[in-house]
Amino acid sequence: MKKLILFGRSESGKTTLTQVLRGKKIVYEKTQYINHYSSLIDTPGEYAENKDLGRALALYAYEADICGLLVSATEPFCLFPPNCTCMANREVIGIVTKIDRSDARPDLAEMWLRLAGCEKVFHTSAKTGKGIAELLEYLKD
């Protein structure tokens, strides 16, 4: 399986998605540091939200095959600026999370990810499992 690193705001669903992709039970855990698993790297949202910590994300991205930008379908704004994926020397995919929520706007989240430069965007729900199989299939070698 290709190794995926996840970037996104705090509470965008990175750790929950990591648990689901690993076949683990969903348990809320605040990610305090970068966690490495066999095919996933889970990062704290504060790293993406802080320019000084953000430099570490660039270094850790070298350990992955694919970078995943996460935007929750419930977020009021996008953390990622337009055309930011061109700075990565890895494939960058977009992942819309929390599509099952009643206040979800997956169309808006996808638009933000496409503006950031993601050509491939997955819509997922850790709660219902929607979109998880498609993402796992894409990550297969």
Side-chain angles (χ1 to χ4, degrees):
M1 183 175 272
K2 296 174 190 164
K3 192 163 196 168
L4 173 67
I5 186 168
L6 300 175
F7 303 127
R9 283 185 353 125
S10 295
E11 300 182 21
S12 63
K14 297 178 302 299
T15 300
T16 302
L17 181 62
T18 297
Q19 292 170 353
V20 170
L21 290 174
R22 295 178 61 228
K24 303 294 182 184
K25 181 181 175 187
I26 297 175
V27 178
Y28 178 75
E29 296 175 357
K30 173 66 185 116
T31 303
Q32 299 294 326
Y33 48 88
I34 294 177
N35 293 309
H36 288 260
Y37 303 102
S38 60
S39 58
L40 289 165
I41 302 173
D42 183 17
T43 64
E46 290 81 5
Y47 278 51
E49 297 165 355
N50 181 304
K51 67 177 181 155
D52 294 324
L53 295 173
R55 294 180 185 119
L57 295 178
L59 294 173
Y60 281 100
Y62 282 103
E63 298 182 26
D65 301 308
I66 298 177
C67 298
L69 303 185
L70 267 77
V71 174
S72 167
T74 63
E75 292 189 33
F77 66 91
C78 182
L79 181 68
F80 307 111
N83 300 315
C84 67
T85 62
C86 67
M87 294 183 278
N89 64 355
R90 303 278 186 274
E91 178 183 5
V92 181
I93 62 172
I95 304 171
V96 178
T97 59
K98 303 180 186 183
I99 62 169
D100 57 279
R101 299 261 306 261
S102 62
D103 58 342
R105 292 282 315 272
D107 55 332
L108 183 60
E110 179 174 346
M111 182 190 73
W112 287 332
L113 288 166
R114 294 206 182 274
L115 284 171
C118 298
E119 294 181 16
K120 184 76 175 162
V121 178
F122 295 89
H123 290 236
T124 64
S125 167
K127 186 176 181 180
T128 67
K130 185 171 180 169
I132 301 300
E134 292 83 359
L135 180 56
L136 284 170
E137 181 65 29
Y138 189 78
L139 295 173
K140 283 186 179 177
D141 284 326

